[in-house]
Amino acid sequence: MVSKHGGSVRGIIGYGAYVPYYRLDRSKIAAAMGAGGGRGQRSVASFDEDTTTMGVEAARNALRNAKVSPTSILFATANPAYLDKTNATAIQAALDLPQETWAVDTGGSARSAEAAMRGARGSEGIAMAILSDLRTGKPTSADESNGGDAAVAFLFGDEGDSPVIARSLGSASATGEFLDRYRQPGDSFSRIWEERFGEQAYLELGNEAIERALKAANVGLEDLDKVIIAGLHTRAVNSLSRVAGDKLVDGLESVIGNTGTAHIGLLLASALDNAGASEKIMLVHLADGATVQILETTEAINSYTRFKTVESQIAQGNNSLDYNLYLTWRGFLDREPPR
């Protein structure tokens, strides 16, 4: 459903992504440990970065060429820098926004990305949804090699505030109780069940949500130009991706890994970087169920000025990071500090 405020269409009016500079070549994991690793690279937040600071960088990139200022911030992450304290207020302060700015966290899980995006889309005024995550796992684990760190920010507003570059045509959601992945408070890594046990449940919910979203948007699969499918359940994502055919947007796992809470937004930013007018984009997020959103770009996207595309940030990354240094940054290796 297209959200309207004051008679004008509401949608995305700007966006920005942040991919950290450092990369870890997965082959270095096996070389050092004799296990784990794989092909490709993963993005790595530096020792002085966390999900909040990455969110600030994504927000700055979104605001770089914008002629508006957000009146609200919704920040989503599964790995907050603080508990009991609102992390979004640090972003508000770093962006030097006025005290009237409403800043709130929607955290704890990858699905919280949906709360931030839906909340910003349904808010009044200029609202910013920021999705950020720092993914790690036990040394040599699949989570360690397949994870990635990144953040992305989206500005939502009315057509009267700034040209809308993408609007919602329809959406649907299906919720399920999954114990395939969880992390208890205080844990530094997730506990993961066998993916084969959750695959069919995810596929059923995903296909159902896709069918209802297409009906709500009054479009068919053949009308779509791009399809984005993201989630931390790799088997389910790969299986559901078959519905997309050659319209599937590259998941970027081989070059930066899966960035968790941020990933669905990061792939949308990547798709918008290369989108023209009147393109229909379907987003499917598998996280404790399935959420499907169908967007359509407008003519305004042809004149939208992007600052640091996702592709350019990936290309500028440094893949010389030493694995021992990575372990030190993540707290798995306690080394004597420099004097």
Side-chain angles (χ1 to χ4, degrees):
M1 183 177 67
V2 177
S3 177
K4 296 185 178 181
H5 297 263
S8 61
V9 175
R10 186 172 179 84
I12 297 173
I13 60 174
Y15 66 95
Y18 175 67
V19 180
Y21 173 66
Y22 290 103
R23 308 282 184 273
L24 176 65
D25 192 311
R26 296 182 178 116
S27 65
K28 293 182 179 180
I29 301 174
M33 306 293 285
R39 298 179 180 178
Q41 306 167 352
R42 60 155 293 164
S43 57
V44 177
S46 185
F47 69 94
D48 59 350
E49 292 183 304
D50 56 29
T51 50
T52 299
T53 62
M54 290 194 294
V56 170
E57 293 303 316
R60 284 175 174 163
N61 288 343
L63 293 169
R64 190 78 61 170
N65 296 314
K67 298 179 180 178
V68 296
S69 180
T71 56
S72 60
I73 294 174
L74 294 90
F75 178 58
T77 182
N79 192 6
Y82 294 102
L83 297 175
D84 286 342
K85 178 192 182 305
T86 304
N87 297 274
T89 57
I91 298 177
Q92 176 263 343
L95 297 178
D96 197 26
L97 297 176
Q99 289 184 335
E100 292 79 13
T101 306
W102 184 63
V104 65
D105 292 347
T106 64
S109 68
R111 191 176 174 90
S112 63
E114 309 300 336
M117 293 288 278
R118 182 175 294 190
R121 189 172 68 246
S123 297
E124 295 183 354
I126 307 298
M128 177 180 281
I130 303 173
L131 320 178
S132 181
D133 217 344
L134 191 155
R135 308 298 306 181
T136 189
K138 282 186 175 180
T140 74
S141 69
D143 261 13
E144 177 189 58
S145 57
N146 296 337
D149 309 331
V152 64
F154 293 93
L155 286 163
F156 288 84
D158 298 334
E159 186 67 43
D161 300 319
S162 186
V164 170
I165 61 174
R167 63 190 183 97
S168 174
L169 297 180
S171 63
S173 184
T175 302
E177 167 62 2
F178 286 85
L179 284 176
D180 62 311
R181 168 185 293 273
Y182 67 93
R183 188 174 75 246
Q184 293 178 320
D187 288 348
S188 58
F189 53 85
S190 298
R191 302 173 190 270
I192 306 170
W193 214 21
E194 282 280 352
E195 282 199 336
R196 56 193 173 93
F197 295 125
E199 180 181 5
Q200 290 306 313
Y202 265 120
L203 288 177
E204 181 179 347
L205 292 171
N207 283 314
E208 177 196 348
I210 288 173
E211 182 179 351
R212 289 191 284 112
L214 290 170
K215 185 176 181 181
N218 195 28
V219 298
L221 279 172
E222 67 279 3
D223 300 317
L224 301 175
D225 297 286
K226 293 181 172 72
V227 177
I228 296 168
I229 302 180
L232 289 170
H233 197 293
T234 304
R235 284 179 61 136
V237 169
N238 290 341
S239 295
L240 192 60
S241 293
R242 299 187 186 116
V243 306
D246 60 1
K247 299 176 181 180
L248 185 68
V249 172
D250 183 4
L252 304 177
E253 288 89 352
S254 65
V255 288
I256 59 170
N258 189 319
T259 60
T261 310
H263 210 61
I264 187 69
L266 193 70
L267 298 186
L268 174 57
S270 179
L272 291 176
D273 283 342
N274 301 290
S278 302
E279 288 193 14
K280 295 179 178 62
I281 304 171
M282 181 170 74
L283 291 81
V284 183
H285 192 201
L286 300 182
D288 299 311
T291 302
V292 181
Q293 182 78 26
I294 298 175
L295 304 175
E296 184 178 42
T297 58
T298 70
E299 290 289 339
I301 200 167
N302 290 332
S303 56
Y304 178 71
T305 303
R306 300 160 179 83
F307 181 80
K308 289 188 177 180
T309 65
V310 174
E311 183 180 4
S312 70
Q313 294 183 64
I314 292 174
Q316 293 167 4
N318 183 334
N319 66 354
S320 65
L321 182 65
D322 180 74
Y323 181 57
N324 289 333
L325 186 57
Y326 166 80
L327 291 177
T328 303
W329 287 356
R330 290 295 173 266
F332 287 113
L333 183 60
D334 192 10
R335 299 199 299 184
E336 182 73 12
R339 298 186 184 279

